[in-house]
Amino acid sequence: GALVYQYPRRTICKSGTSMRMECQAVGFQATSVAWYRQSPQKTFELIALSTVNSAIKYEQNFTQEKFPISHPNLSFSSMTVLNAYLEDRGLYLCGAQDLSGNTLYFGEGSRLIVV
Amino acid sequence: AQSVTQPDARVTVSEGASLQLRCKYSYFGTPYLFWYVQYPRQGLQLLLKYYPGDPVVQGVNGFEAEFSKSNSSFHLRKASVHWSDWAVYFCAVSRMSNYNVLYFGSGTKLTVEP
């Protein structure tokens, strides 16, 4: 079956440091990957959409300088939260779309705790 | 612009009772609509999705939803709630046909009483 693995599941980092998270698609080819953030007690916000061989599109309030994304092939994507502060806390979800474009698979998320 | 409103932040039902979770959408054109569930300390799982067609969509675990263009709604229903349904439910609309770009509602936290 199709699965999406995210690593790490949980990270505690000091304010001002950076955290890299990974997203691995298993059993299908992820032509596009969307990264979302769920801040505490809030809903999911789209950070950016990454499509292989295309430019990464960031939503308003999110920038490449803060959330650089790599999507080198059809099974892997990574995102880094640079200079993390309290407002960056939350659950970061990776959603991967398969070749048919009909199905979106989510990982279980990478939780970022900033102290 | 596309958006989704879930007017009920919290809903409490008794186990075995019926359930309806409300969702209103705002979208110019034909929407693609989704319901996701988030169990405690977990990510998102897809319950069901609506593409243009039959307005009543069947999902997993006995859930269904009905699309209404006239009411701009996509309410989620279940005939008999189980304690394991205790979770937060999110309604979402996608931009055009790119299902990876989802706009989520604020979520409805479902509590199931014995």
mmCIF file of all heavy atoms in Angstrom, chain B residues 4 44 51 59 74 91-92 99 110:
data_model
loop_
_atom_site.group_PDB
_atom_site.id
_atom_site.type_symbol
_atom_site.label_atom_id
_atom_site.label_comp_id
_atom_site.label_asym_id
_atom_site.label_seq_id
_atom_site.Cartn_x
_atom_site.Cartn_y
_atom_site.Cartn_z
ATOM 1 N N VAL B 4 -13.194 27.513 4.187
ATOM 2 C CA VAL B 4 -14.107 26.562 4.812
ATOM 3 C C VAL B 4 -14.395 27.027 6.228
ATOM 4 O O VAL B 4 -13.485 27.453 6.940
ATOM 5 C CB VAL B 4 -13.477 25.148 4.839
ATOM 6 C CG1 VAL B 4 -14.272 24.226 5.739
ATOM 7 C CG2 VAL B 4 -13.380 24.576 3.440
ATOM 8 N N LEU B 44 -3.217 13.351 9.999
ATOM 9 C CA LEU B 44 -4.539 13.380 9.389
ATOM 10 C C LEU B 44 -4.835 12.094 8.620
ATOM 11 O O LEU B 44 -3.964 11.565 7.932
ATOM 12 C CB LEU B 44 -4.636 14.544 8.403
ATOM 13 C CG LEU B 44 -4.741 15.945 8.980
ATOM 14 C CD1 LEU B 44 -4.790 16.953 7.863
ATOM 15 C CD2 LEU B 44 -5.962 16.067 9.874
ATOM 16 N N TYR B 51 -15.922 14.636 -5.275
ATOM 17 C CA TYR B 51 -15.641 15.212 -6.567
ATOM 18 C C TYR B 51 -16.989 15.414 -7.226
ATOM 19 O O TYR B 51 -17.949 14.706 -6.895
ATOM 20 C CB TYR B 51 -14.772 14.287 -7.417
ATOM 21 C CG TYR B 51 -13.453 13.901 -6.782
ATOM 22 C CD1 TYR B 51 -12.848 12.676 -7.069
ATOM 23 C CD2 TYR B 51 -12.801 14.748 -5.884
ATOM 24 C CE1 TYR B 51 -11.654 12.305 -6.485
ATOM 25 C CE2 TYR B 51 -11.611 14.392 -5.293
ATOM 26 C CZ TYR B 51 -11.035 13.167 -5.603
ATOM 27 O OH TYR B 51 -9.850 12.805 -5.030
ATOM 28 N N GLY B 59 -17.878 7.228 3.092
ATOM 29 C CA GLY B 59 -16.494 7.163 3.510
ATOM 30 C C GLY B 59 -16.208 5.936 4.350
ATOM 31 O O GLY B 59 -16.975 4.988 4.341
ATOM 32 N N PHE B 74 -21.240 20.977 3.219
ATOM 33 C CA PHE B 74 -20.714 19.614 3.037
ATOM 34 C C PHE B 74 -20.664 18.989 4.432
ATOM 35 O O PHE B 74 -19.620 18.767 5.007
ATOM 36 C CB PHE B 74 -19.329 19.663 2.396
ATOM 37 C CG PHE B 74 -18.781 18.312 1.992
ATOM 38 C CD1 PHE B 74 -19.488 17.475 1.137
ATOM 39 C CD2 PHE B 74 -17.543 17.882 2.466
ATOM 40 C CE1 PHE B 74 -18.976 16.246 0.756
ATOM 41 C CE2 PHE B 74 -17.017 16.648 2.089
ATOM 42 C CZ PHE B 74 -17.735 15.835 1.234
ATOM 43 N N CYS B 91 -12.817 19.749 7.908
ATOM 44 C CA CYS B 91 -13.356 19.856 6.562
ATOM 45 C C CYS B 91 -12.347 20.660 5.743
ATOM 46 O O CYS B 91 -11.701 21.575 6.267
ATOM 47 C CB CYS B 91 -14.709 20.565 6.615
ATOM 48 S SG CYS B 91 -15.537 20.740 5.034
ATOM 49 N N ALA B 92 -12.198 20.321 4.465
ATOM 50 C CA ALA B 92 -11.214 21.025 3.638
ATOM 51 C C ALA B 92 -11.728 21.142 2.211
ATOM 52 O O ALA B 92 -12.495 20.292 1.738
ATOM 53 C CB ALA B 92 -9.876 20.303 3.649
ATOM 54 N N TYR B 99 -5.382 18.379 -5.554
ATOM 55 C CA TYR B 99 -5.835 17.931 -4.250
ATOM 56 C C TYR B 99 -4.785 18.074 -3.174
ATOM 57 O O TYR B 99 -5.065 17.829 -2.006
ATOM 58 C CB TYR B 99 -6.293 16.469 -4.334
ATOM 59 C CG TYR B 99 -7.141 16.183 -5.534
ATOM 60 C CD1 TYR B 99 -6.907 15.087 -6.343
ATOM 61 C CD2 TYR B 99 -8.182 17.040 -5.887
ATOM 62 C CE1 TYR B 99 -7.674 14.843 -7.462
ATOM 63 C CE2 TYR B 99 -8.955 16.799 -7.004
ATOM 64 C CZ TYR B 99 -8.690 15.697 -7.793
ATOM 65 O OH TYR B 99 -9.446 15.455 -8.895
ATOM 66 N N LEU B 110 -14.845 16.293 18.509
ATOM 67 C CA LEU B 110 -15.962 15.410 18.861
ATOM 68 C C LEU B 110 -15.638 14.657 20.140
ATOM 69 O O LEU B 110 -14.612 13.972 20.234
ATOM 70 C CB LEU B 110 -16.246 14.421 17.735
ATOM 71 C CG LEU B 110 -17.301 13.358 18.048
ATOM 72 C CD1 LEU B 110 -18.671 13.991 18.253
ATOM 73 C CD2 LEU B 110 -17.363 12.307 16.939
#
